[in-house]
């Protein structure tokens, strides 16, 4: 069974965590190592479209994912981000929480991560040649899946 992420069909091999109402996948174009996405299983566009049980499940899943990422990627902090609507930079019309492990010195200006998030998947940047291979993504997902078994 594949997962839907907006217009994308996501192979189970790149999904590393699933709950009753949410799933987490690795990113094809991570801004930092370990940059992943947590999504509701139901493909709704805006945060306000989620039911209360979906919000609760999504954020509980996000919390677990953040804890695992920080450990696995030897981070010391986390950035969580939701780009909710096109003017906020959302490109995939399916709610998703970006989770990014952070460490000292990863950006010379700390908040530059938001500039990178804004531009990393925009048209001129979003060329398939800049995406990671399916093998690399599946291997990262397999390593993360272990923490949730
Ligand atoms: W948004 O700009 O909508 O807040 O973020 C979309 C995110 O989804 C980006 O980080 C982008 O790299 C990622 N992405 C888009 N399509 C896929 C895909 N098929 N598999 C994995 N990640 C994807």
């Amino acid at each position: 069974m594949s997962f839907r992420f907006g217009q994308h069909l996501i192979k189970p091999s790149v999904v590393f965590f699933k709950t009753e109402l949410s799933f987490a996948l690795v990113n094809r174009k991570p801004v930092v190592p370990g940059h992943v996405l947590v999504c509701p299983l139901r493909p709704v566009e805006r945060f306000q479209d989620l039911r209360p049980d979906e919000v609760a499940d999504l954020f509980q899943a996000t919390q677990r994912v953040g804890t695992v990422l920080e450990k696995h990627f030897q981070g010391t902090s986390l950035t969580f981000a939701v780009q909710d609507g096109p003017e906020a930079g959302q490109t995939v019309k399916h709610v998703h929480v970006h989770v990014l492990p952070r460490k000292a010195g990863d950006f010379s200006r700390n908040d530059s991560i938001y500039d990178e998030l804004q531009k990393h998947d925009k048209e001129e940047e979003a060329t398939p040649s800049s995406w990671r291979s399916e093998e690399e993504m599946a291997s990262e997902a397999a390593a993360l899946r272990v923490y949730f078994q």
Side-chain angles (χ1 to χ4, degrees):
M1 160 195 138
S2 54
F3 293 78
R4 196 167 145 204
F5 175 42
Q7 71 272 35
H8 306 280
L9 268 190
I10 302 296
K11 291 187 177 166
S13 58
V14 303
V15 171
F16 61 90
F17 181 44
K18 181 181 170 305
T19 65
E20 194 192 336
L21 300 173
S22 312
F23 70 103
L25 71 152
V26 301
N27 203 316
R28 70 185 180 186
K29 194 158 193 288
V31 163
V32 292
H35 173 193
V36 307
L37 307 164
V38 190
C39 316
L41 284 166
R42 197 165 64 94
V44 299
E45 189 170 338
R46 297 292 308 277
F47 194 69
Q48 65 187 8
D49 302 329
L50 292 171
R51 302 187 309 257
D53 59 337
E54 290 172 314
V55 173
D57 190 277
L58 181 69
F59 273 80
Q60 281 166 23
T62 300
Q63 185 186 44
R64 285 188 66 184
V65 166
T67 303
V68 161
L69 286 184
E70 194 169 319
K71 184 172 177 190
H72 186 74
F73 289 93
Q74 285 100 41
T76 46
S77 297
L78 293 165
T79 292
F80 296 98
V82 181
Q83 307 201 107
D84 186 32
E87 288 70 37
Q90 182 179 16
T91 55
V92 178
K93 294 180 177 177
H94 183 148
V95 174
H96 49 283
V97 185
H98 295 258
V99 189
L100 307 103
R102 302 296 307 272
K103 42 181 83 165
D106 54 3
F107 289 88
S108 52
R109 187 181 145 267
N110 201 289
D111 284 356
S112 295
I113 196 160
Y114 297 107
D115 300 331
E116 292 303 315
L117 263 183
Q118 172 63 28
K119 66 177 195 201
H120 77 290
D121 60 344
K122 297 300 169 288
E123 243 160 57
E124 63 281 14
E125 300 265 333
T127 51
S129 61
S130 70
W131 298 339
R132 297 196 295 168
S133 68
E134 275 189 33
E135 292 71 31
E136 186 181 347
M137 291 169 70
S139 151
E140 183 176 287
L144 293 174
R145 207 173 288 129
V146 171
Y147 293 90
F148 298 96
Q149 278 157 3

